[in-house]
Structure formats: C-alpha cells, structure tokens
Amino acid sequence: MRPGLGAYLRNALRGGGWLLLPVFVLLAVAAWLPKLPVTRDAYDHLVIFDVSQSMNVEDYQLDGKPVSRLEFAKHSVAEALKNPKCDTRIGWGVFAGRKVVMLLAPVEVCRNYSALLEALSGIDGRMAFERSSEIQEGLLWTMINVRDLKPLPTVIFMTDGQEAPPLPPERVRSYDGQIGEVRGWVVGVGGDEPRPIPKTDAEGARIGYWRGTEVLQWAGAASSTGGTNHEHLSELREPHLQQLAKNVGFDYLRLVDSHSLDQALHDRKLSHPAEVDTDLRWIPGGLALLLLAGWFWPDWRPFRRPTT
C-alpha cells in the first residue's frame, strides 16, 4: 500500500529535511521578485575629441602598428566601455576651432553599447569644421554650454594641447563662472617628441605634411602656453593642458595606454546619487543554493537522524 501525502511529507521533513522548505520559498521569491529602485553612484559623461589635424600625428601603437592620437583616444574609450557599470551614461562630442559640437547626448551604456561603439567609430578628422584649434576657447565654451544639459554631465576633454594659432600668455584666462559647477578631466593625448603634422584634404586623404612656412610660428623660445618655434611639428603640450585644467577646476590625466581612462571615467568624485532599477533576485537565489549545498553535504547535516 502506498503511503499517503501526510506520511510522505513527514518522511521528507524528518532528520533535517525541513531545510528544503525555505529553499522552495527562496526560489519562489527569486522567480517573482521585480527590479527594485536602489540608490547607487551614477555617472554621466560627455567625452569630447579634438579632431584638429595635429591629432592625426601617429605617435601611439596598437598591435605593433602606428596609429594616430585620435584613433588611440577612441580605442581607449572603447576599452573603458568593455566592462561598463549599467548606471553609466556617456555621449560623444568633437572640438575644432573654438567650439564643441555634441554628436550624441549621454545615453545608458548597457542598453546602447553597440550604438555607442558605432557612433564612436565614425568620429574622424573630416568632422573638423574649422582649421584653427583654440583649445582654451573651446574648453571655456564647453564649460558655459554644458550647463544647459540635464542631468549635468562631467566633461572628458581629449586633446594634444596644440593651440593653432599659438596662444600668447597675456590671452590666458580662467573660467569666469563658479569653479566646480562643471566637473571633469582634461586628457592629454600624444608623445613628447615633436613630429610632422599630416595635411589632409576635405575628404580626409593625406596630401603631405604641414611646412614651417605654412603655419603661424611662435616667435622666440617655448612659452608657458605651449607655443614653440616649430608649430608645424606637434607634441603633447602637457604644461599648457595642466594649466588649462587648473583654470576651469578640472583634473588632468595623460593618456599613456589604453587603460588610462579607467581612472577618469570611474572617478567617484564625479559620480552622483541616482535611483537605479536593480535586479536583486541573485540574493534569494544564492541563499537557496547555499541551503541546498548544506542539505547534500554529508558532514553539514547536524539534524539528520542516524540511520540504523
């Protein structure tokens, strides 16, 4: 005669089998628990790429091959997005002349990862809408105009620091707004050795290199603003960028390798609290797994009655 349901349950619960009841409850909770709002550190970034012709100088390497400053900057950003926090929003902009054009407003990384990479791959020197490169003015213009974006993003401004035309020291000026209302990093891109600047046509094809007689030169020795007497050559103007960063209340970072940007993009000083819908089903699911492991582990069943 087959035992009834009551006898079956009594046998199942005898000797520690009661541990299976909370397992079933926890698994049910894990199956039905919705995402819950949790306050976490969130990030909103606007990454701005200098697309002036000096950013075409090839003084980085990828896979043993020389690549331009702009390509390496884009590669570094793409690397930083490989392990994103899903509460991060990021967007792209380009700088040329005196202004910045926002190409893509900050969007959430995890849901838009492929679209972000596709938009990033399309950024190149053909987007330059002016031949000049007045970096100080571009950075100050960004500070003023980014304040209209909601939520207010942090700015990651990536450039080699070469002002074209050269910036006289008497024209150096600071941000006239409140320092700290816009936060971010100035990222220095490029090497220390002066190298020829590729000249390109309207289609982005290389047609030679800029010569000394074709660009406005700096008269005299190198200046504190980065001007030199070889403006047809380009190297990272690091002291100038450090000063610009200080003038607007930003931090400065040099792009040394493809992992350098991790510090800037995940700087907790640039985060803000935000309610994020978070999947917490792993908590009851993990507890259920622990209880099951305890049930099947022979030496961990103190309530199991010895069999005779």
Side-chain angles (χ1 to χ4, degrees), residues 46 57-58 90 153 174 201 225 266 294 299:
L46 177 60
V57 173
E58 296 179 340
I90 199 165
S174 299
D201 60 19
T225 62
H266 302 110
D299 297 332

Side-chain angles (χ1 to χ4, degrees), residues 144-290:
I144 294 170
N145 287 274
V146 78
R147 295 178 300 185
D148 297 331
L149 300 179
K150 303 298 179 187
L152 181 65
T154 60
V155 174
I156 312 295
F157 200 98
M158 307 186 72
T159 177
D160 55 20
Q162 182 157 356
E163 302 268 359
L167 180 67
E170 61 271 16
R171 285 185 51 201
V172 174
R173 57 194 181 96
S174 299
Y175 177 52
D176 56 9
Q178 181 181 350
I179 295 294
E181 64 177 341
V182 179
R183 301 175 297 170
W185 290 78
V186 172
V187 180
V189 185
D192 295 320
E193 179 186 347
R195 297 198 177 192
I197 301 173
K199 182 192 295 188
T200 56
D201 60 19
E203 300 301 321
R206 186 171 299 186
I207 55 175
Y209 294 91
W210 288 98
R211 295 176 294 181
T213 56
E214 296 177 305
V215 299
L216 182 62
Q217 298 287 349
W218 178 262
S223 76
S224 59
T225 62
T228 69
N229 56 8
H230 58 256
E231 294 300 311
H232 58 296
L233 305 177
S234 181
E235 73 279 1
L236 173 62
R237 310 289 171 91
E238 191 163 49
H240 178 48
L241 290 180
Q242 290 170 334
Q243 184 61 52
L244 290 184
K246 181 179 179 182
N247 288 349
V248 299
F250 281 16
D251 290 313
Y252 173 78
L253 173 72
R254 180 168 182 168
L255 190 65
V256 177
D257 56 39
S258 59
H259 301 293
S260 300
L261 275 182
D262 288 345
Q263 179 183 358
L265 295 181
H266 302 110
D267 181 5
R268 295 197 64 183
K269 293 184 300 183
L270 303 182
S271 67
H272 60 87
E275 280 196 351
V276 179
D277 288 339
T278 305
D279 189 349
L280 300 177
R281 292 179 297 177
W282 63 272
I283 296 177
L287 291 174
L289 183 62
L290 286 175

Side-chain angles (χ1 to χ4, degrees), residues 86-106:
C86 290
D87 46 10
T88 296
R89 290 157 39 97
I90 199 165
W92 313 134
V94 295
F95 158 74
R98 301 166 60 94
K99 296 180 180 180
V100 168
V101 172
M102 186 165 64
L103 304 176
L104 178 67

Side-chain angles (χ1 to χ4, degrees), residues 26-38:
L26 288 169
L27 289 176
V29 171
W32 295 102
L33 184 67
K35 290 185 177 181
L36 299 175
V38 176

